[in-house]
Every structure is written in C-alpha cells, then in structure tokens.
Amino acid sequence: MFGRGRTGGVLSAPAECNVAVLGTTGSGKSALTVKFLTKRFITEYDPNLGNLSEWGNPGLGGATGWAQRIGLASNTRTQDTYSTEEIVDQQPVVVKVMDTADQDGPVDCERYLTWASAFLVVYSIAERHTFEGCQSYLDILALHTRGEAPQPPLILLGNKVDMERYRQVSRCQGVELASRYGCLFFEVSACLDFLSVQQVFHEAVREVRRE
Ligand code: GDP
Ligand code: MG
C-alpha cells in the first residue's frame, strides 16, 4: 500500500495507509474515527444527541451523515471512507479510514478485506457483548490473511476507558485475546485525550511501514 515517497529527488505524493475499523455496533468505531479526524468527541457538537445513531448513517456522508454535519470537506471522504494527511515519524502519509457499519457481525467483508492495509478491531470495555463480537472479526481476518506474507497488522482496541467504573472486560482479557490472534493491543477512549487515539492510528502506519 505504500508508495516510495521520493522519486528522482522530487517529492512525490505521500504514501497511503488504508485502515479499516471493524467491530460490533456501539463499540465506538465512528466516535474513534471522528476523534482521529477532528480531535473532537462527536457529542461535543450536539449535547442533546445521546447516541451516534441519531446522527444518521455516517456511511452516507450525505445530508444525514455525520461527516457533513461536522463539516468534513467533501474531498476528504467517499461513502464511509475518510482521509487525512499525517506526519508519522517525520514522514508524510495519507491515512484513509473506513468506518464500517456491519449490523450483525461481519457481513460485507470482502470490501474491506481487499482494501485495507491494516485493521482495527474495536470493542467497548464496558459492554461485554462487543468484546465477544470481536472474535468473529478476528476469525475472518485470520482466515483471510492466512498464508499472506507479510501479515497485515491487526490491532485490538478496547474503547471507552473513561467508563472504568462500568468495566466488564478486564485489560488481561483484552491482552489475552490479542495475543491469541497476534494483534497489537491498546485501550483508549474516544472522549478523552486525542493523542492516545492518534497513537493507535499512527502505530498502524508504523506496522505497515515495517512490512
Ligand atoms: P459504532 O456503532 O461502533 O460506530 O459506535 P458509535 O461511535 O456510534 O458509539 C456508540 C455510542 O457509544 C455512542 O453513544 C457514542 O457517543 C458512545 N461512545 C463512543 N466512544 C465512547 C467513549 O470512548 N466513551 C464513552 N463514554 N462513550 C463512547
Ligand atoms: Mg458507526
């Protein structure tokens, strides 16, 4: 997925890294995507909206999509894919993020399996069923990437650490699941600091560069 960066001493277009964000509905995929793209937690835009579903389908990017509501430029998005120019370790890269919205586990997977250079599988530490939902995504990724060399980076991401009081999935359980599938593991919150969310996406870029 990565271009060369420089050709003949002339700076070429920045390399690209395609990150697919997967996981059960409600785990916070859209909130994390918005945080990474805008540094904001989405409900900051309208405190009366408790649930992102009330923002409409983010995938549409149309009149009811969150991307338009929060003013993301139309040239940075198509359907449910958004792009941002980043500098990771002093090198430019265009990070494209696909905020998937499967309703009942992995359905339309071919689309992101063939597109992505890295995968984030998200759950909420405060909602056990979202952790259990990760298994089917990890199984599909393992099946799809079997025999591929190098393996595309997988990151298991426990979201909503601000909800520590309601934690239903221990950090140990996250680490254990990640190690079983050869994933990196992080815990973050889409409504706390931006840098720890940014770090996850940047780590995906670093892993792809290592390939
Ligand atoms: P998706 O279905 O995976 O895209 O999940 P959403 O991004 O729509 O988030 C589901 C709900 O969880 C929404 O009400 C969000 O505001 C909320 N949410 C997302 N991330 C966080 C977080 O880090 N902390 C808290 N407290 N709520 C979050
Ligand atoms: Mg969503």
Side-chain angles (χ1 to χ4, degrees):
M1 284 296 163
F2 270 89
R4 293 274 113 212
R6 267 176 195 274
T7 37
V10 180
L11 259 187
S12 62
E16 285 183 12
C17 179
N18 294 349
V19 181
V21 186
L22 316 178
T24 306
T25 303
S27 54
K29 300 179 298 295
S30 298
L32 288 164
T33 302
V34 174
K35 184 74 166 194
F36 175 57
L37 293 168
T38 68
K39 303 193 170 132
R40 304 288 179 91
F41 183 57
I42 201 164
T43 56
E44 283 175 26
Y45 288 86
D46 188 343
N48 298 318
L49 294 178
N51 193 300
L52 263 187
S53 61
E54 294 169 56
W55 284 74
N57 183 348
L60 295 176
T64 58
W66 57 252
Q68 191 172 57
R69 288 199 192 201
I70 63 175
L72 272 187
S74 60
N75 64 355
T76 64
R77 59 184 158 89
T78 53
Q79 279 204 341
D80 57 355
T81 304
Y82 309 90
S83 69
T84 171
E85 289 188 23
E86 299 285 309
I87 304 288
V88 180
D89 302 332
Q90 290 87 50
Q91 286 174 41
V93 56
V94 174
V95 181
K96 295 191 177 170
V97 183
M98 186 186 285
D99 173 29
T100 67
D102 293 343
Q103 290 304 313
D104 300 299
V107 274
D108 186 18
C109 5
E110 269 312 309
R111 201 168 67 94
Y112 50 76
L113 287 174
T114 50
W115 174 85
S117 37
F119 298 91
L120 289 190
V121 180
V122 181
Y123 66 92
S124 158
I125 63 137
E127 285 137 305
R128 176 103 210 152
H129 75 279
T130 64
F131 180 65
E132 282 151 10
C134 288
Q135 184 94 33
S136 53
Y137 287 98
L138 293 169
D139 282 337
I140 282 197
L141 292 173
L143 195 67
H144 175 77
T145 61
R146 195 169 49 192
E148 266 182 41
Q151 291 275 306
L154 309 183
I155 298 179
L156 182 65
L157 189 57
N159 185 34
K160 309 197 187 181
V161 287
D162 60 291
M163 310 254 288
E164 184 62 42
R165 275 197 300 160
Y166 306 102
R167 185 187 274 274
Q168 296 179 352
V169 183
S170 72
R171 194 183 163 84
C172 264
Q173 289 169 321
V175 169
E176 200 269 326
L177 183 63
S179 70
R180 220 164 353 118
Y181 284 88
C183 308
L184 293 178
F185 177 72
F186 297 95
E187 284 189 343
V188 293
S189 164
C191 63
L192 296 179
D193 65 308
F194 163 71
L195 287 179
S196 53
V197 172
Q198 184 192 47
Q199 191 214 338
V200 173
F201 285 88
H202 284 194
E203 208 49 50
V205 170
R206 289 191 186 101
E207 286 294 313
V208 173
R209 281 178 179 164
R210 273 183 207 123
E211 286 176 357

